[in-house]
Amino acid sequence: MLEAARKLFAGPVAFLKSAPALQFLPDADVPEVAFAGRSNVGKSSLLNALTGRNALARTSNTPGRTQELNFFDVGEPRQLRLVDMPGYGFAKAPPAVVKKWRFLVNDYLRGRQELKRTLVLIDARHGIKDVDRDILGMLDKAAVSYRLVLTKADKIKPTELETVVAQTAEEARKRPAAHPDILATSSEAGWGVAELRAAVAESIT
Ligand SMILES: Nc1nc2c(ncn2[C@@H]2O[C@H](COP(=O)(O)OP(=O)(O)OP(=O)(O)O)[C@@H](O)[C@H]2O)c(=O)[nH]1
Ligand SMILES: [Mg+2]
């Protein structure tokens, strides 16, 4: 699977379009894998690391960088579409904006036929928070298959990482739509990126 995954991401990756609302979604004609998670957790950075392109998805120190659903096509002929999404739980944005993002993300996640897997990113420094549980509960209820991915693993000690992986796995086991295995990643250090590619390749085959 690692080799198949390497091949999948060795080909071209191209930005397709941004959808600020559901009526702008592209035709659902390719399997999709979406990146969800709190603002600033590292969704856009991990998408870049996964595709090996530094500046494909825009990243920023300031939470709330990604404001639309951004679609990226992978492979020639294209085999996969990655979806970078706005973050949730961003308290500083105006309430109307937060609400708009939440509806956009939730409606997309619940209603998309071609969505094969959602990657729910969790900051390894904090573990699963109540704002994360809200979205996990929504995914469980809608039976949308997802996988928990820890980000920014370079920011904590290996022993701390072990603890948060174990705690996250324990919670994942109790959630019906969650994949039981937890991936620990660092976009900065490149950790877990090959494994994540394999997980993505596996979810579309
Ligand atoms: N140390 C470290 N920093 C990271 C890592 N991943 C992301 N960051 C930093 O975290 C910040 C947020 O990253 P983004 O990828 O923009 O986060 P996002 O989840 O897309 O954020 P929104 O689009 O605002 O929801 C940036 O300053 C990144 O450089 C990582 O693995 N390690
Ligand atoms: Mg982003």
Side-chain angles (χ1 to χ4, degrees):
M1 193 48 89
L2 280 174
E3 177 54 18
R6 195 195 57 74
K7 269 204 189 129
L8 174 65
F9 289 101
V13 183
F15 171 72
L16 176 67
K17 72 180 292 185
S18 273
L22 283 186
Q23 67 263 36
F24 302 107
L25 295 183
D27 289 342
D29 49 8
V30 193
E32 292 176 350
V33 171
F35 289 71
R38 296 168 71 192
S39 286
N40 212 240
V41 71
K43 297 175 292 297
S44 301
S45 301
L46 195 59
L47 190 149
N48 288 342
L50 189 75
T51 57
R53 272 79 170 174
N54 268 336
L56 191 66
R58 273 192 281 166
T59 65
S60 166
N61 238 322
T62 316
R65 167 75 266 180
T66 310
Q67 312 203 343
E68 301 172 334
L69 302 179
N70 291 305
F71 294 83
F72 300 89
D73 281 344
V74 180
E76 181 60 58
R78 73 190 167 174
Q79 300 176 57
L80 161 70
R81 186 168 285 158
L82 298 172
V83 191
D84 189 20
M85 305 209 283
Y88 50 85
F90 176 40
K92 277 187 199 139
V97 172
V98 172
K99 204 169 151 188
K100 183 185 155 217
W101 291 351
R102 196 178 63 232
F103 278 110
L104 179 64
V105 167
N106 285 6
D107 287 350
Y108 166 79
L109 291 174
R110 277 194 297 235
R112 190 72 163 169
Q113 198 65 246
E114 284 303 298
L115 180 63
K116 298 299 176 199
R117 182 67 54 87
T118 300
L119 304 172
V120 181
L121 277 47
I122 305 287
D123 193 317
R125 292 170 298 180
H126 309 306
I128 300 177
K129 295 281 183 198
D130 282 342
V131 272
D132 300 312
R133 291 189 182 99
D134 288 345
I135 200 166
L136 300 184
M138 185 274 288
L139 295 171
D140 286 324
K141 214 168 139 199
V144 175
S145 149
Y146 62 92
R147 184 155 184 157
L148 296 169
V149 178
L150 296 172
T151 61
K152 308 192 185 185
D154 59 287
K155 292 218 174 191
I156 57 174
K157 297 193 193 104
T159 50
E160 291 168 340
L161 183 61
E162 249 174 66
T163 306
V164 73
V165 167
Q167 285 167 345
T168 310
E170 195 185 329
E171 185 153 347
R173 275 196 293 275
K174 295 180 197 141
R175 294 191 165 272
H179 192 289
D181 298 331
I182 310 303
L183 280 168
T185 66
S186 163
S187 305
E188 195 97 345
W191 299 342
V193 172
E195 291 79 1
L196 184 65
R197 283 184 188 138
V200 168
E202 183 256 336
S203 70
I204 60 161
T205 47

